[in-house]
Amino acid sequence: LPSWDDYLPLLRLGQLPTATLIPETFSQLSFQQVSPGDGGAAGGTGNQNYGFRADFGLTPSVMASAFYTYADDPLFAPIPSREPSQPANLWNSAGASLRARLTGGRNWQLAAEGSLELFAVGSGCGGTVSCDDAGTANIFNNSGQSVFTNNLVGSLSLPLTWQASRQLQLSLVPAVSFLPDSQGSGQGGAGEFYGTTISLGLGASYRLGNQVQLFASALLPFGPGSNAFDADLVYSRVPILSAGANIAVNPRIGLEASITNGFGLSPATAILALPSAPTEPMLNARFIWNPGAMDSPAVPFTTRSRSLSLGGLTVATALVPPSGTTQVWLNADSEGNIFGQLAYSLSNDFQLQVFSAGEFNQVTPVTNLVANYANDGSLNTRFGGKAVFLQQLRGAPVSLAGTVTLGQNRGSNFQGYLYADLAATWEANRWLAFNLNPKLAWNGVATPVGIGLGANLQISRNLQLIPELNWVTSGAGDSNASLALRWLAGATTAIDLYVSNAAGLLDMGQLLQTNQTRLGAKLTLQF
């Protein structure tokens, strides 16, 4: 089993860098999203900012990072001075940074980190509005045209980290962010922007055992620039606060969640609050992959247990296939739904859902949820992962896993939502397993919450009967039921024939009922 020293330390505490470096030749890849809990003027799940980062240990004392962030939703709060139209908003940052250890002792380290970034800022464009469109309001001037600028920006910080005890780590980080002080010059007139800001960061992390670390941080801006503006376009300085937890599934896979008012996800923009609503709390979720780190022990699958890792229909199981396994499923039904998913096991206890996509069709009645997320012919795309926390085959009383996916209905509205569930699987004996699957689809329209109940009965060597029920308790969703007959062509190949009144098998569809009884088929392969 992995020990204390097999788990990599935290490189950042929310938006705050630490003086920690990953080991030489190791790498860390992370994907994150920050979004308010309320949709605001943008609707859906609000103003999402997506970030990807890759960290590489070049030497024992130097770490290089590359990153990319993307946000293209309307501003969270309406801008009264721009009514009746509201400006679209685009933030896009790409760049690289270096972190080098300057000095240190047994329990403390001092490092320097500098970044260079291309920060694209568009106002009056973003989402479905092209930056070449005419006649769109912006926040920098009254030209009635979009403003778009590529800005060369950067940052410099000097993180000092002290290991106060085996569990407690403290960080002090003076920093400066070099951002432009205006936008729109030559495009209708220059308007105020953030400018250069000096800040002081304070952070702490506390490690609970091998796998859980709690953390909190504060970035305090001192000027001369600002880091926030409100709905009246008045610029100011506000503290950027974060608090959350990092949970390591194993040394290879980490999951992180925090509450913050920080919207920027690159080193230079980390000081920035949510545009137009600087004190609005947001959820920051992050997935972390350390490719060279130690994995969980292999699961001693039986043929029966391996077949359960194929999953269910609308109720999930709590098993994932072994590390290195690719899983593909395809589905179609009699009313025109068509869905598919490609997934890959990065670990024995984590499956990355690389890409899920499909179309809902003929879902009636047309509620607000259906109109925004399950309307006819619109392509729904999803990305996420499934982590196993307990495994019955390793001696736990039940298997327990959690799944989170993000994505959009890429139709006319481009509405996004976050789907999350927990799955508990109990193998009662060699022929019967039960599944309990609480779930929700968090969005800005109405958030349905439900509990999935399912079973898997091995009725012969190659046949399984799978009854399922989703009892939807709130959020304008509807309860639904399914019944499937599964033919196992092998332990890793299945064909399901089913009848269901769920709107569909993909995420949101599990929480909606349709008037039609659907006949469908699903093919699942692992290789």
Side-chain angles (χ1 to χ4, degrees), residues 8-232:
L8 298 184
L10 298 184
L11 302 179
R12 297 165 190 88
L13 307 177
Q15 281 77 10
L16 186 74
T18 68
T20 303
L21 306 176
I22 59 174
E24 184 180 9
T25 74
F26 271 66
S27 61
Q28 181 176 103
L29 307 177
S30 63
F31 174 85
Q32 69 185 114
Q33 176 192 9
V34 61
S35 176
D38 180 272
T45 47
N47 296 69
Q48 297 109 327
N49 193 8
Y50 301 95
F52 171 79
R53 189 187 299 261
D55 301 299
F56 306 94
L58 300 182
T59 73
S61 58
V62 178
M63 180 181 79
S65 303
F67 44 84
Y68 176 78
T69 76
Y70 187 83
D72 68 351
D73 290 317
L75 296 175
F76 182 85
I79 309 298
S81 63
R82 298 300 187 266
E83 292 178 347
S85 64
Q86 286 298 310
N89 188 63
L90 173 68
W91 278 12
N92 181 351
S93 182
S97 65
L98 282 176
R99 183 183 300 181
R101 182 179 294 114
L102 301 180
T103 187
R106 181 178 178 182
N107 295 320
W108 65 277
Q109 300 291 333
L110 175 65
E113 181 172 73
S115 75
L116 190 63
E117 310 173 27
L118 187 64
F119 184 29
V121 177
S123 184
C125 56
T128 59
V129 183
S130 168
C131 290
D132 297 324
D133 288 348
T136 55
N138 72 76
I139 65 171
F140 300 116
N141 57 52
N142 293 315
S143 67
Q145 306 293 321
S146 62
V147 167
F148 178 80
T149 309
N150 281 312
N151 305 278
L152 189 63
V153 302
S155 66
L156 179 64
S157 63
L158 294 171
L160 173 65
T161 296
W162 174 43
Q163 194 71 42
S165 69
R166 193 165 187 254
Q167 290 82 21
L168 179 63
Q169 188 181 87
L170 304 174
S171 291
L172 178 70
V173 188
V176 57
S177 296
F178 302 98
L179 299 173
D181 57 13
S182 68
Q183 299 282 277
S185 177
Q187 302 178 66
E192 186 177 1
F193 204 48
Y194 296 109
T196 296
T197 298
I198 298 170
S199 63
L200 179 66
L202 305 169
S205 66
Y206 191 84
R207 187 166 172 177
L208 301 172
N210 287 351
Q211 295 173 262
V212 179
Q213 294 195 63
L214 307 179
F215 65 86
S217 65
L219 296 178
L220 309 175
F222 295 107
S226 54
N227 71 328
F229 66 86
D230 61 19
D232 294 321

Side-chain angles (χ1 to χ4, degrees), residues 374-430:
N375 53 315
D376 285 0
S378 293
L379 177 66
N380 282 259
T381 57
R382 312 293 298 160
F383 167 85
K386 179 178 180 180
V388 177
F389 304 109
L390 296 175
Q391 178 54 262
Q392 189 174 356
L393 292 172
R394 294 197 188 112
V398 297
S399 297
L400 181 66
T403 300
V404 175
T405 68
L406 311 168
Q408 291 179 320
N409 177 359
R410 301 187 66 82
S412 58
N413 55 24
F414 278 78
Q415 292 292 332
Y417 68 92
L418 179 147
Y419 174 85
D421 73 27
L422 286 174
T425 296
W426 177 46
E427 293 186 60
N429 52 46
R430 290 182 296 176

